[in-house]
Amino acid sequence: MEARQLWRPLAQPLARRPLSTLPHRTPQPPWIRQPSARNPPHRRHQSTPADDPLFKSIVDNPPQLIRSGRKHNYLGLALLVSIPATAFLLGCWQVKRLTWKSDLIAKFEDRLVREPLPLPPQIDPAAIKDFDYRRVYARGVLRHDQEMLIGPRIHDGQDGYLVVTPLERAAQYPAYPGNTTVLVCRGWIAKAKALQSSRLAPEQSLPRGEIVVEGLLREPWVKNSFTPDNRPERDAWYFPDVAQMAAHVGSQAVWVEETMKADLLAAYDRESKGVPIGRPPEVNLRNNHTQYIFTWFSLSLATSIMLWMVVKKPPSSIRARVRRDTAW
């Protein structure tokens, strides 16, 4: 009986045993993963996704089209294409301009080597274009009292004016009833010699009586937007407006540029005496179209190479722009 009582407490269920009689358990450290409902303890025969008949891997998903980014913007690409195309067209246009300018210079130079023509008493302004740069000569009297100075004009780095004087030819054509006066551009004088009283050697600077003027018949110029307007009431002339100047002095709208042989010593002597320095009998048209052709075609070639490099360049960091498919 005493032996039964001795072993009876050990036979009682654990639930009924007091806490003081439970065996002592050492607490687990916090870094050891504790089993829970979400984290059940490892089982030897736990099922894997491969055992699930409804399992699908990423290779079983249907293909999905994704956009990793276009290589170029159509508007930007069209702008890049227009640059070399426009430069090429401008180069072709300059080729035509070069041909036109070369033919024009050759035509004017051919007129310079011909004998000068006598200037008729009356000139049709519409026909002057066909006689541009044609050598002519006229006889008459210079009206120094109606002299006009166009300026400022630079000659060899010095400031000055162009001297324009009407040439009256009534005595040369006494039987002609119309107006025979024409405008003669005598050449350049220094600014210090603008006043007629300051010019030395009057027989050369201000010739009197009947003289013969030889020069080039020139077509009227076209005024640009940067040149100020002439002021005839103030006797201020900034641009050779042939029609306006002819109306101011009552002459024909005909412009003759007096020429002289290019001579440096003679030009210095004329400048010191106040004698107008005439222009040399040569064509002074600028012909820079060859440089323009080289510039435009070079620009077209360079931009074409740049366009080819942009089009052929592979897209950068394409992997970073591809969207992942994580539905698995």
Side-chain angles (χ1 to χ4, degrees):
M1 188 65 181
E2 291 179 359
R4 285 184 176 181
Q5 294 178 354
L6 180 63
W7 294 100
R8 188 173 181 177
L10 297 176
Q12 294 180 358
L14 293 177
R16 296 181 181 181
R17 294 174 62 183
L19 296 178
S20 59
T21 60
L22 293 177
H24 178 71
R25 298 181 61 184
T26 305
Q28 298 292 333
W31 59 80
I32 297 180
R33 190 176 183 182
Q34 301 295 330
S36 61
R38 294 184 178 180
N39 221 355
H42 178 72
R43 297 180 183 178
R44 180 179 297 179
H45 301 290
Q46 184 177 5
S47 62
T48 61
D51 298 330
D52 188 359
L54 301 179
F55 172 76
K56 292 183 178 180
S57 68
I58 189 172
V59 297
D60 297 327
N61 290 340
Q64 182 181 6
L65 298 178
I66 60 176
R67 186 175 64 181
S68 61
R70 291 178 296 184
K71 290 184 179 181
H72 308 286
N73 182 275
Y74 291 118
L75 181 59
L77 191 62
L79 179 61
L80 291 178
V81 171
S82 65
I83 295 176
T86 304
F88 181 77
L89 292 177
L90 289 175
C92 295
W93 178 66
Q94 288 297 330
V95 171
K96 295 183 178 179
R97 293 280 296 176
L98 175 62
T99 304
W100 168 79
K101 183 63 71 67
S102 300
D103 294 341
L104 184 64
I105 293 177
K107 181 174 62 176
F108 290 161
E109 290 179 346
D110 179 67
R111 293 175 181 175
L112 289 177
V113 298
R114 298 183 181 182
E115 292 296 326
L117 294 174
L119 197 65
Q122 188 74 29
I123 300 97
D124 184 9
I128 296 178
K129 182 178 180 181
D130 299 329
F131 291 88
D132 196 13
Y133 276 95
R134 189 67 169 89
R135 293 174 60 193
V136 296
Y137 66 91
R139 186 183 299 272
V141 178
L142 291 174
R143 295 291 305 273
H144 298 293
D145 57 325
Q146 295 180 338
E147 180 182 270
M148 295 171 285
L149 301 179
I150 303 176
R153 289 294 186 273
I154 305 299
H155 178 75
D156 291 340
Q158 298 188 28
D159 193 7
Y161 300 96
L162 290 179
V163 180
V164 180
T165 308
L167 181 67
E168 193 175 73
R169 301 183 297 160
Q172 183 69 18
Y173 302 99
Y176 190 80
N179 185 7
T180 59
T181 305
V182 295
L183 298 177
V184 176
C185 179
R186 301 184 59 203
W188 178 89
I189 60 171
K191 187 176 182 180
K193 303 296 182 179
L195 296 177
Q196 295 183 2
S197 58
S198 63
R199 303 173 193 175
L200 305 177
E203 65 279 358
Q204 298 179 12
S205 59
L206 301 171
R208 304 293 177 179
E210 190 176 69
I211 64 171
V212 177
V213 175
E214 182 175 342
L216 303 180
L217 185 64
R218 292 301 316 277
E219 186 181 8
W221 290 266
V222 178
K223 176 179 171 296
N224 56 36
S225 58
F226 300 100
T227 306
D229 295 332
N230 295 326
R231 297 182 177 181
E233 67 280 359
R234 298 183 181 179
D235 201 21
W237 305 93
Y238 307 103
F239 180 78
D241 191 335
V242 178
Q244 186 180 28
M245 299 177 76
H248 180 68
V249 297
S251 69
Q252 301 182 59
V254 178
W255 181 275
V256 178
E257 291 185 353
E258 188 174 3
T259 58
M260 59 171 288
K261 184 180 296 185
D263 190 341
L264 185 60
L265 296 179
Y268 286 155
D269 182 63
R270 282 173 171 254
E271 181 181 351
S272 61
K273 295 179 180 180
V275 181
I277 302 174
R279 56 161 296 170
E282 59 185 21
V283 180
N284 56 0
L285 297 180
R286 292 185 299 176
N287 189 7
N288 299 328
H289 298 287
T290 303
Q291 302 177 10
Y292 299 152
I293 291 172
F294 177 78
T295 301
W296 287 120
F297 282 149
S298 299
L299 179 61
S300 177
L301 178 61
T303 52
S304 298
I305 295 175
M306 295 173 61
L307 176 63
W308 180 82
M309 294 175 62
V310 170
V311 172
K312 292 298 182 180
K313 183 180 180 181
S316 59
S317 63
I318 187 173
R319 294 181 179 179
R321 298 198 298 267
V322 175
R323 188 172 63 253
R324 292 184 178 181
D325 189 359
T326 58
W328 61 284

